[in-house]
C-alpha cells in the first residue's frame, strides 16, 4: 500500500491513542506490540496480552471500550477531526456496549434483565423480545455508554498529549514498537502486578 506521510502520521496517532489509553487504564489488556505497517485491510495493528478471566466485571469492560475508542479520540485530540480509520473499533465497542445492556444486565436503567436467547430459537424470529419504548431505551443506553468512554479517552489523551505525540513520533520512525518503548515514555505501567519469583 502506498500511503502519504500525512496518512502515516494519522495512523501513528490512531495506534498511539489505543496504546496510551490501554497503558493508562487499569483493566485494559497490556500492550505487547504496535505497528503502522499496513496488513490486509488494516492500516495499523496492536497486540495485547489479555488476562484469562472466567467472569468480566463492568469496570473491565468499560476500560476495554475506552482503550478501543482511544484511536479515534487521539485523532480528535491531535487534529480536532476524525477519520474513517476507526470502523473496526466502532464495530467492536458497539457489540460490547450492546452486550452489556441487552445480554449481561449491566445497565442501571434497564436493570437485571437479559434478552439473550441461549436456545437459538430466535434465529429466524424477526420480532424483538421487547417493546419499541425499550428498544429506544436500549439504543440510548448503548449510545451513552460508547460516548462516555470516548469522552473518557479524550480526557486521558488530553492530559497525556505530550506522551501521545512522543509515542506517535516513535511509531513513525520505527514503524513497530514494543512494550519497552511504552515503558520508556510512560514509565512502568502502574497497575501491573509485580511478578514474585519463588526460589
Amino acid at each position: 500500500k502506498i500511503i502519504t506521510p500525512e496518512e502515516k502520521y494519522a495512523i501513528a496517532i490512531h495506534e498511539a491513542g489505543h496504546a496510551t489509553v490501554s497503558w493508562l487504564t487499569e483493566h485494559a489488556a497490556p500492550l505487547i506490540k504496535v505497528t503502522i505497517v499496513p496488513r490486509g485491510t488494516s492500516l495499523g495493528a496492536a497486540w495485547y496480552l489479555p488476562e484469562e478471566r472466567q467472569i468480566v466485571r463492568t469496570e473491565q469492560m468499560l476500560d476495554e471500550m475506552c482503550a478501543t475508542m482511544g484511536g479515534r479520540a487521539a485523532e480528535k485530540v491531535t487534529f480536532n477531526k476524525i477519520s474513517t480509520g476507526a470502523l473496526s473499533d466502532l464495530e467492536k465497542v458497539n457489540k460490547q456496549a450492546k452486550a452489556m445492556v441487552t445480554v449481561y444486565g449491566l445497565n442501571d436503567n434497564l436493570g437485571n434483565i437479559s434478552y439473550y436467547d441461549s436456545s437459538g430459537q430466535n434465529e429466524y424470529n424477526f420480532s424483538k423480545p421487547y417493546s419499541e419504548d425499550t428498544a429506544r431505551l436500549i439504543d440510548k443506553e448503548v449510545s451513552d455508554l460508547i460516548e462516555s468512554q470516548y469522552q473518557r479517552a479524550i480526557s486521558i489523551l488530553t492530559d497525556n498529549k505530550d506522551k501521545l505525540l512522543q509515542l506517535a513520533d516513535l511509531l513513525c520512525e520505527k514503524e513497530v514498537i514494543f512494550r519497552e518503548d511504552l515503558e520508556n515514555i510512560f514509565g512502568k505501567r502502574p497497575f501491573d502486578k509485580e511478578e514474585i519469583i519463588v526460589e
Side-chain angles (χ1 to χ4, degrees), residues 17 29 55 111 124 171 184:
I55 58 168
Y124 302 108
L171 256 173
N184 290 339

Side-chain angles (χ1 to χ4, degrees), residues 97-169:
K98 199 157 194 174
M100 284 179 77
V101 173
T102 63
V103 177
Y104 299 116
L106 297 174
N107 181 269
D108 292 338
N109 289 331
L110 264 91
N112 298 312
I113 191 162
S114 176
Y115 297 105
Y116 177 67
D117 179 16
S118 60
S119 69
Q121 291 176 339
N122 273 349
E123 196 174 338
Y124 302 108
N125 181 359
F126 295 106
S127 66
K128 290 180 180 162
Y130 42 78
S131 69
E132 277 304 310
D133 285 347
T134 302
R136 274 192 286 278
L137 180 57
I138 288 170
D139 287 345
K140 182 185 183 316
E141 292 302 316
V142 167
S143 178
D144 288 353
L145 204 48
I146 294 168
E147 186 60 23
S148 71
Q149 294 313 307
Y150 175 59
Q151 293 303 329
R152 185 174 160 221
I154 284 176
S155 177
I156 290 168
L157 293 169
T158 301
D159 291 346
N160 295 276
K161 190 173 178 181
D162 55 335
K163 292 175 179 173
L164 167 71
L165 298 178
Q166 205 178 329
L167 194 59
D169 288 343

Side-chain angles (χ1 to χ4, degrees), residues 25 35 41 66 70 77 84 93 96 111-112 157 160 163 166 172 181 194:
T25 49
T35 180
T41 57
C66 186
V77 166
T84 57
V93 292
Q96 284 175 311
N112 298 312
L157 293 169
N160 295 276
K163 292 175 179 173
Q166 205 178 329
C172 280
D181 296 307
E194 290 293 321

Side-chain angles (χ1 to χ4, degrees), residues 58-71:
T58 307
E59 61 270 19
Q60 293 167 330
M61 292 182 97
L62 293 176
D63 280 1
E64 291 290 347
M65 285 173 63
C66 186
T68 304
M69 294 306 287

